[in-house]
Amino acid sequence: MITEHRRRAYLNAMQVATWLPRVALPFAAPSNPELLALAPEVPLEDAPRPVADVVPDAPATESRPAATSVRAKIEIPRPGSTPRPVAQPEPEAAAEPEAAPAKVETLPPPRFSLQLLRAGNCLLLVELPTGEPFQSRDPAYLLLKDLLRAAGLPDSPQILGEPVRWPLLSRGNMDQGPDAARDFVQGFVGMRVEELGDCACLWLVGLPAVRFAGEADATAFNRELQVEGLGAAWALPGLELLMDEPERKGELWQAMRRVMRRWKSTE
């Protein structure tokens, strides 16, 4: 029989682990003291505890989160209250809103005074520089008489009616803008042209007469115009402008020589 040392050496060479109990097992034969003396020492904490002493550890109490999930607030309708409509999502391609109609700008009424006269077979729509009817000694009226003599027409023109003053009314909501003034002046002069019957030429003296009867501007001075409903017309600078700028009289005289054929040919 081999000794215990040699037996354990053989077992170790064959890589056979030898297990020995470190404590007395119940109902087991007593261990050989020689074997226990040869067993390596094991730290106390690594030694297995008796079965009776093994008590399963109590499971750790899981801590529940203190914060709870926030629930969506449900609005409960009250008696007599109207439930709020649920907002519908807007479509991606929403129709463009219709453009608001452009606000029509109201222009202030123009201010002028015009006098209609007759000289031979011509009618004269003349701007009144002072806004009042002509007086026999007014410088503007004397200049007008000189123009009529140079044109070969009677130098004592006949006044037809009262001056046309615009605006017609100082108050009220009636439209008295430029378009209304043009319609009124053209209608007034048109009736006189029909009454005269053989109007050879209509003199438009001054910017208001040219603008609201001839539908032109200052660039038409000394030119002939053809106005619908009024016939042939001749645009002249205003009498006050001719007095302030005498150099304009030369251009006026040259234009008059071209236009005179209208009333000279009908005499």
Side-chain angles (χ1 to χ4, degrees):
M1 182 176 181
I2 62 175
T3 63
E4 182 63 23
H5 290 283
R6 297 186 64 179
R7 187 181 71 80
R8 291 181 63 81
Y10 290 150
L11 292 177
N12 291 335
M14 293 185 291
Q15 296 182 356
V16 176
T18 302
W19 301 93
L20 296 175
R22 296 290 181 257
V23 295
L25 300 178
F27 308 105
S31 299
N32 188 354
E34 186 180 2
L35 295 177
L36 294 176
L38 295 176
E41 295 183 1
V42 180
L44 184 61
E45 59 270 10
D46 292 339
R49 291 181 296 175
V51 177
D53 297 339
V54 176
V55 179
D57 296 335
T61 304
E62 296 181 359
S63 61
R64 296 183 180 180
T68 58
S69 59
V70 179
R71 296 183 180 180
K73 183 179 180 181
I74 301 177
E75 186 175 351
I76 302 176
R78 298 179 180 179
S81 63
T82 305
R84 298 179 180 178
V86 179
Q88 298 294 334
E90 297 182 359
E92 295 182 0
E96 296 183 358
E98 297 182 0
K103 184 178 180 180
V104 179
E105 183 179 358
T106 303
L107 298 176
R111 297 183 177 276
F112 57 83
S113 296
L114 301 174
Q115 179 67 66
L116 188 63
L117 305 98
R118 178 179 178 177
N121 56 357
C122 292
L123 288 179
L124 292 77
L125 186 64
V126 185
E127 177 189 11
L128 296 175
T130 62
E132 298 297 330
F134 286 122
Q135 302 297 324
S136 59
R137 303 306 299 175
D138 287 345
Y141 183 68
L142 295 177
L143 176 58
L144 179 62
K145 291 170 69 71
D146 292 340
L147 293 176
L148 291 175
R149 282 193 296 267
L153 295 172
D155 61 354
S156 297
Q158 177 186 357
I159 298 177
L160 301 179
E162 295 294 326
V164 177
R165 293 184 173 89
W166 197 268
L168 293 176
L169 304 175
S170 59
R171 298 180 182 178
N173 298 326
M174 186 181 72
D175 181 16
Q176 300 187 93
D179 293 341
R182 183 194 62 234
D183 295 341
F184 181 84
V185 172
Q186 288 185 343
F188 173 77
V189 177
M191 290 189 300
R192 296 298 184 178
V193 170
E194 291 181 1
E195 293 176 0
L196 182 60
D198 58 344
C199 179
C201 185
L202 172 65
W203 289 26
L204 302 176
V205 185
L207 185 57
V210 174
R211 177 177 296 170
F212 298 107
E215 299 183 19
D217 53 22
T219 59
F221 286 161
N222 303 319
R223 290 169 48 191
E224 295 182 69
L225 306 174
Q226 192 67 31
V227 184
E228 183 178 359
L230 303 181
W234 180 35
L236 289 78
L239 299 175
E240 189 173 14
L241 182 59
L242 289 173
M243 290 187 294
D244 294 339
E245 301 178 10
E247 63 274 10
R248 289 180 176 267
K249 294 180 182 179
E251 299 177 3
L252 176 63
W253 170 245
Q254 295 179 2
M256 183 184 293
R257 296 178 62 182
R258 296 191 301 266
V259 183
M260 272 198 315
R261 56 182 173 79
R262 291 191 174 276
W263 54 85
K264 286 290 187 180
S265 61
T266 57
E267 289 180 356

